Amino acid sequence: MCWEDEAAQGLRPPKPRTWAPRGRTPIVHVTGKGYGRVCLAGLVCAKPGRRTRLMHRTLIRRGRPGEVKGFGPRQLSALLDAAHAQLGGPIVLVWDNDRRHLSAAMRAVIEARSWLTVFQLPAYAPELNPGEMGWSQCGLRRTVRS
């Protein structure tokens, strides 16, 4: 059984606050150009009698024209195929109601894999998905899209 979830983090530096003596403008140095986004998709896989596994894929978005903005059917199917190869058996997948999971393209990907059974979580139930807990450990924000 595997639980899947995605998260993203912008690469813009935070807007810091500081202090300075009266009459002196504070200068805060920031490195990097400040644009981009890191997207992660993770699978938490559990099997009775075995250790729990975490499998993930990373996408880095730099904002270039034509660049993939996040995980679509092609990237998610590659993650599922890699998980199937590593786990060596059928997969029962549990994931949220993200619009990318409910698309016609994703349904076609699921139907093409006889070893894959998919269950949707209720509308908003992050406490039922163990993958949600991992993002806070990584320092990432969960992106909520409708």
Side-chain angles (χ1 to χ4, degrees):
M1 180 172 247
C2 295
W3 291 267
E4 192 272 344
D5 197 39
E6 297 100 19
Q9 176 69 43
L11 297 178
R12 281 196 179 141
K15 291 183 179 179
R17 300 184 100 182
T18 187
W19 66 273
R22 187 180 301 241
R24 293 188 186 177
T25 304
I27 298 173
V28 179
H29 297 283
V30 177
T31 60
K33 68 178 186 175
Y35 185 77
R37 190 170 192 80
V38 175
C39 301
L40 286 167
L43 284 173
V44 176
C45 303
K47 187 174 183 179
R50 299 275 179 103
R51 292 179 62 178
T52 304
R53 288 183 168 189
L54 173 65
M55 298 176 195
H56 68 282
R57 290 284 167 107
T58 306
L59 286 176
I60 298 176
R61 182 172 179 249
R62 300 281 183 206
R64 297 182 183 115
E67 192 173 28
V68 176
K69 293 184 179 179
F71 285 90
R74 195 173 86 234
Q75 291 83 12
L76 288 173
S77 64
L79 174 62
L80 293 172
D81 290 339
H84 177 64
Q86 283 188 14
L87 298 173
I91 293 177
V92 176
L93 180 65
V94 180
W95 60 16
D96 55 13
N97 291 315
D98 191 316
R99 62 184 164 82
R100 294 169 290 186
H101 301 162
L102 302 173
S103 69
M106 199 65 224
R107 280 195 303 267
V109 166
I110 293 166
E111 290 170 5
R113 288 157 175 78
S114 61
W115 46 265
L116 183 61
T117 305
V118 176
F119 291 99
Q120 301 291 133
L121 287 170
Y124 186 74
E127 67 278 358
L128 298 178
N129 191 349
E132 291 276 354
M133 306 307 157
W135 302 133
S136 63
Q137 300 299 319
C138 298
L140 294 173
R141 286 190 304 254
R142 168 83 167 98
T143 56
V144 178
R145 296 183 187 138
S146 55

